[in-house]
Amino acid sequence: MALFDRIRKEWFIIGIVLVITFAKLEPSVGVKGGPLKPEITITYIAVSAIFFNSGLSLKTEELTSALMHVKLHLFVQSFTLAFFPVAIWFILRLLALTSINQWLLKGLQTVGCMPPPVSSAVILTKAVGGNEAAAIFNSAFGSFLGIIVTPLLLLMFLGSSSSVPFSSIFSQLFMTVVVPLIVGQVFRRFIKDWLERRKPPFGAVSSCVLLMIIYTTFCDTFSNPGIDLDRFSLVIVVFIIFSIQLSFMLLTFLFTTRRKSGFTPADTVAIMFCSTHKSLTLGIPMLKIVFEGYEHLSLISVPLLIYHPAQILLGSILLPTIKSWMVTRQRAEKLTNVQPI
């Protein structure tokens, strides 16, 4: 029974392994021009479906309660969409001197360019008891901001790798990302009560479509005999990803717990998760658009595929420690705020 519960909880991670395995066994099914016709079904239909689903599920009406905490929002968005990609760029200058696969290193740069995720940071913040409203706001706002900023960052750091003209990238982003997202939000206004009552499995739907995108991406890779991935590079990249996450979580913790930072312990929890987590759901479709037709797309996608489960695993492991710290810190602050009679 425990095994089935574990499988149910980790089905998406298992799904990623399975679709990559199927792509290895039969790559001809999902390649461009193959039976699945990914140039239509994935590039347009699947990506649009993910963002329409995001528009339907995004509870923008809940964001007003967190709107006024401008300092917190500025910190999170600046860290995740400015400091993070620039810091990764500097780290990669050093790693470029090693024998690590260059396409995996480029993939690490794409991770740095991604917006915060819609769900994982919020779930972990809520589990700890942190500032959930701030986490919801920054996840939602970061997703909207990422639609514009992420493609610009990708083109700025990896522009020479793109085989698609700048204007074509943004017109496709507008049609397959912005329009479905807005349409989803409009639909939500009319069926909000029904959605709240029924609670459709938005996360599961997006995850299934995402697995389809991952499958076709790796079909392109395995159909190209010239692409090779050595295990040494893969193991090193996994280690680097965990190191980056831990280091950046520690950095945000140290910065937001300074005496005059102005952040509460609950704020610190939200900032730690929102600033360091990256979106796979938004990231993979964006990579598919920006690097459409690029033979090394799947290798560039690998670090993001690793980063997603790593951030959830690391967050879950650290959850009890972070919760214990927050409760202790809150009690200490209450005691210091009690005025003597």
Side-chain angles (χ1 to χ4, degrees):
M1 194 67 180
L3 178 62
F4 285 114
D5 286 339
R6 187 72 179 172
I7 292 172
R8 183 172 56 83
K9 289 177 182 177
E10 306 295 342
W11 72 272
F12 181 64
I13 308 301
I14 296 168
I16 290 175
V17 175
L18 288 175
V19 296
I20 292 174
T21 304
F22 291 147
K24 175 70 174 174
L25 294 173
E26 198 58 57
S28 60
V29 175
V31 295
K32 187 179 287 188
L36 282 183
K37 299 291 181 189
E39 61 272 22
I40 298 170
T41 58
I42 300 300
T43 304
Y44 295 100
I45 298 172
V47 174
S48 298
I50 280 183
F51 286 96
F52 175 74
N53 191 54
S54 295
L56 270 181
S57 61
L58 210 54
K59 298 180 180 180
T60 45
E61 63 272 11
E62 292 183 0
L63 306 183
T64 50
S65 61
L67 192 60
M68 301 309 292
H69 207 331
V70 178
K71 185 179 178 181
L72 188 152
H73 308 324
L74 276 174
F75 181 89
V76 171
Q77 300 306 326
S78 299
F79 190 96
T80 194
L81 291 172
F83 174 81
F84 205 124
V86 172
I88 294 294
W89 186 84
F90 278 110
I91 292 169
L92 293 184
R93 296 311 89 191
L94 297 174
L95 293 175
L97 302 173
T98 68
S99 60
I100 301 172
N101 186 294
Q102 62 168 320
W103 304 110
L104 290 182
L105 293 181
K106 287 179 185 289
L108 284 173
Q109 185 65 71
T110 68
V111 170
C113 299
M114 293 300 150
V118 176
S119 57
S120 64
V122 176
I123 291 167
L124 288 167
T125 300
K126 185 177 181 180
V128 173
N131 190 337
E132 187 185 355
I136 292 170
F137 180 91
N138 281 285
S139 294
F141 182 67
S143 298
F144 282 119
L145 199 59
I147 291 169
I148 300 167
V149 177
T150 294
L152 288 171
L153 289 172
L154 287 172
L155 289 167
M156 185 170 74
F157 287 108
L158 301 164
S160 61
S161 299
S162 180
S163 59
V164 183
F166 187 85
S167 57
S168 299
I169 289 169
F170 276 89
S171 62
Q172 190 174 337
L173 279 169
F174 183 77
M175 293 306 298
T176 58
V177 176
V178 179
V179 171
L181 198 67
I182 293 171
V183 171
Q185 279 285 284
V186 171
F187 267 75
R188 181 177 175 80
R189 290 176 66 89
F190 292 103
I191 60 172
K192 187 172 73 172
D193 293 337
W194 181 84
L195 291 172
E196 293 298 323
R197 210 168 47 246
R198 294 284 184 173
K199 299 189 185 304
F202 292 117
V205 171
S206 286
S207 295
C208 287
V209 178
L210 196 57
L211 287 175
M212 205 174 145
I213 295 173
I214 293 167
Y215 170 69
T216 57
T217 300
F218 276 86
C219 280
D220 286 335
T221 297
F222 294 129
S223 64
N224 187 342
I227 293 176
D228 184 39
L229 176 60
D230 61 289
R231 292 181 184 177
F232 169 77
S233 292
L234 194 59
V235 171
I236 294 298
V237 164
V238 171
F239 175 76
I240 292 168
I241 284 171
F242 275 99
S243 300
I244 287 170
Q245 285 189 33
L246 270 173
S247 301
F248 284 6
M249 285 183 78
L250 180 61
L251 188 62
T252 55
F253 176 81
L254 292 173
F255 190 89
T256 57
T257 52
R258 292 178 303 128
R259 190 176 295 276
K260 294 182 180 180
S261 69
F263 296 118
T264 66
D267 292 339
T268 295
V269 172
I271 290 169
M272 282 173 66
F273 289 127
C274 292
S275 299
T276 59
H277 280 213
K278 295 292 184 176
S279 178
L280 179 70
T281 308
L282 302 180
I284 291 294
M286 282 189 182
L287 288 178
K288 192 78 175 173
I289 294 168
V290 175
F291 297 104
E292 177 63 29
Y294 191 61
E295 64 176 359
H296 291 97
L297 172 61
S298 58
L299 292 185
I300 291 173
S301 305
V302 166
L304 186 57
L305 292 173
I306 297 169
Y307 199 95
H308 175 75
Q311 68 191 8
I312 295 170
L313 177 63
L314 196 59
S316 301
I317 292 169
L318 294 175
L319 197 148
T321 306
I322 296 171
K323 188 170 186 175
S324 175
W325 168 83
M326 190 189 75
V327 171
T328 305
R329 185 68 176 260
Q330 284 174 333
R331 283 175 184 167
E333 287 186 358
K334 282 180 182 178
L335 287 173
T336 54
N337 289 333
V338 173
Q339 297 294 326
I341 300 172

